[in-house]
Amino acid sequence: MTASLNIVLQPLYLNSGRGRIFALFTPPADNKEVLLFLPSFGEELNRCRVMVAMQARKLAALGYGCLLIDYYGTGDSQGDFSETDWQTWHDNAETAYRWLIDQGHQRIGLWGLRLGAILAAEMAQYYPDGFTRLLLWQPVLDGKTFLTQFMRIRLAMLMDRNEPKETTQQMRDYLQQGHHLEVAGYLLSPQFATEIDSKKLVDYTQIGPNIPVDWFEAITEPGATLLPACEKVTQAWLQQGLKLTVHTYTGPFFWQLHERELTPELLKQTTDLLTY
Amino acid sequence: MDTQKLVKDILKQQLQLGDAVNGFTADTPLLGEIPELDSMGVVNVITAIEDSLGCAIEDDEINADAFTTFGALVAFVESKL
């Protein structure tokens, strides 16, 4: 158990189209898989760091490699958030993938968290037979819904300050006119907003049956059913023949919380899945 | 549907309030009294309501009135049923 605490994630920079992106890497033992981790959006990135680093170390203790990237314009990578967008994130993921291949790693799995889960699904579909597995932590289902929830932060802040209200529609109109929109200190570009609005996890049905897809979804109490929107996507994927397994877990919604809290059940289930 | 229980569960889960929630009554003040109920807290609670009920909450429904007290929030959720 404590072996995982001795594992060091090495910082490095990769050259991706627009600039250098930061990554943490631990190599795999022998011929074991390397997991390419694609993180979440905005403040979720920061909130999830501890859980992700913990999981990476636990997997490394089992012999897995992990490459944890920060997208351009986020975290410790070059660039500003105002300059980043989905295409850039996709390019970053490709850069990381190609780097792993160049390093001689042939068995590469994808691990996506929240909005990064949609990107992971996109990558898996883009590269048929390119990846050994698709691991999805609490995926965002619908980009438009997600962006509306993000924009609501601005709405709530305007409420806090007793400033004139804006509707999320007005915010979208503003973006449409070519302006960046400021939300909770993040300058969202019109390009990025358009791209996120277009993303639906259910669309990635061509992932194919050859790659195991493990989806981890939080439920509020043991025995609870999946929320309807989630059920819809999982059913659609199963009908399209994806090799999908849904794992439910209880525990703090770590991607939302101010206070850092661990969700041990998710760590345990993910580790158990990959223990063989 | 036990709306009071649903709202208590949402507040507990989204705002990490713990067992203090169990003692909430209609008059218990929320917005302005509970530090965890800041902009993010409001957004998370609204999202949780949407997800739990499978409903959509429009922008113009999001105002401070629904969050003044526990009773006000329960009434708001009931109006969405």
Side-chain angles (χ1 to χ4, degrees):
Chain A
M1 253 314 158
T2 48
S4 65
L5 298 176
N6 293 328
I7 284 156
V8 178
L9 299 167
Q10 294 290 346
L12 53 95
Y13 282 95
L14 304 176
N15 289 316
S16 186
R18 310 206 34 201
R20 298 186 319 162
I21 60 170
F22 179 79
L24 289 170
F25 181 60
T26 181
D30 307 323
N31 195 30
K32 267 217 140 83
E33 289 167 70
V34 181
L35 292 177
L36 170 55
F37 174 72
L38 302 178
S40 43
F41 175 89
E43 205 48 38
E44 287 187 6
L45 182 93
N46 296 323
R47 293 192 205 112
C48 295
R49 282 208 189 281
V50 174
M51 275 292 289
V52 172
M54 260 218 159
Q55 183 68 75
R57 285 199 206 94
K58 285 183 189 294
L59 295 179
L62 295 173
Y64 289 86
C66 286
L67 181 63
L68 317 176
I69 67 168
D70 282 347
Y71 308 115
Y72 182 83
T74 75
D76 292 315
S77 292
Q78 271 190 330
D80 193 68
F81 190 80
S82 60
E83 302 172 288
T84 202
D85 51 41
W86 189 273
Q87 187 54 53
T88 302
W89 285 22
H90 188 109
D91 291 345
N92 295 158
E94 282 203 39
T95 295
Y97 180 49
R98 292 196 188 290
W99 180 81
L100 285 168
I101 291 171
D102 288 346
Q103 294 290 306
H105 304 293
Q106 293 171 334
R107 302 184 63 221
I108 302 167
L110 282 163
W111 172 21
L113 169 61
R114 298 285 296 144
L115 195 62
I118 293 188
L119 181 59
E122 195 167 279
M123 289 289 286
Q125 182 160 297
Y126 202 68
Y127 289 100
D129 303 320
F131 298 97
T132 51
R133 70 173 66 248
L134 185 57
L135 202 64
L136 305 176
W137 268 17
Q138 205 63 29
V140 166
L141 302 178
D142 184 297
K144 188 149 197 231
T145 307
F146 178 75
L147 201 59
T148 300
Q149 289 165 0
F150 180 64
M151 287 176 179
R152 284 201 188 126
I153 300 171
R154 179 178 166 86
L155 208 157
M157 278 183 170
L158 293 173
M159 218 166 85
D160 272 352
R161 300 185 214 139
N162 281 316
E163 283 182 34
K165 271 180 75 171
E166 288 169 21
T167 63
T168 55
Q169 186 54 54
Q170 284 169 326
M171 294 181 209
R172 281 200 165 84
D173 291 342
Y174 187 68
L175 283 157
Q176 274 270 325
Q177 286 157 25
H179 309 290
H180 280 64
L181 180 76
E182 193 263 318
V183 180
Y186 289 92
L187 266 182
L188 178 69
S189 78
Q191 174 69 16
F192 206 179
T194 305
E195 287 165 323
I196 295 175
D197 270 352
S198 72
K199 301 298 172 189
K200 292 189 203 316
L201 190 61
V202 77
D203 287 345
Y204 301 99
T205 52
Q206 304 308 308
I207 286 171
N210 297 330
I211 170 176
V213 182
D214 289 283
W215 174 324
F216 291 84
E217 183 76 21
I219 49 175
T220 48
E221 51 190 22
T225 52
L226 293 180
L227 293 174
C230 185
E231 184 74 35
K232 254 187 173 170
V233 179
T234 57
Q235 285 307 314
W237 275 14
L238 286 166
Q239 270 161 36
Q240 288 293 322
L242 270 68
K243 206 157 110 190
L244 170 67
T245 309
V246 180
H247 311 260
T248 54
Y249 64 96
T250 56
F253 293 178
F254 58 95
W255 61 94
Q256 283 182 354
L257 306 174
H258 284 308
E259 313 277 325
R260 292 302 128 77
E261 269 197 57
L262 293 181
T263 306
E265 223 186 278
L266 175 59
L267 293 171
K268 182 180 189 314
Q269 285 194 31
T270 304
T271 306
D272 286 350
L273 174 74
L274 294 169
T275 303
Y276 56 85
Chain B
M1 147 110 23
D2 186 343
T3 317
Q4 289 211 18
K5 182 178 188 309
L6 174 69
V7 177
K8 280 183 182 172
D9 286 346
I10 288 174
L11 291 174
K12 236 189 218 179
Q13 179 68 265
Q14 299 302 325
L15 306 182
Q16 292 173 277
L17 289 181
D19 290 334
V21 175
N22 298 341
F24 279 13
T25 66
D27 295 327
T28 307
L30 298 180
L31 202 59
E33 288 296 315
I34 298 181
E36 294 86 347
L37 195 57
D38 57 4
S39 318
M40 269 314 293
V42 168
V43 170
N44 289 339
V45 168
I46 288 169
T47 300
I49 294 169
E50 278 186 322
D51 288 347
S52 302
L53 303 186
C55 69
I57 295 180
E58 304 300 321
D59 290 339
D60 54 15
E61 293 180 272
I62 303 172
N63 56 61
D65 297 342
F67 288 87
T68 48
T69 62
F70 179 67
L73 188 55
V74 171
F76 174 70
V77 172
E78 274 175 349
S79 75
K80 301 301 294 180
L81 288 173

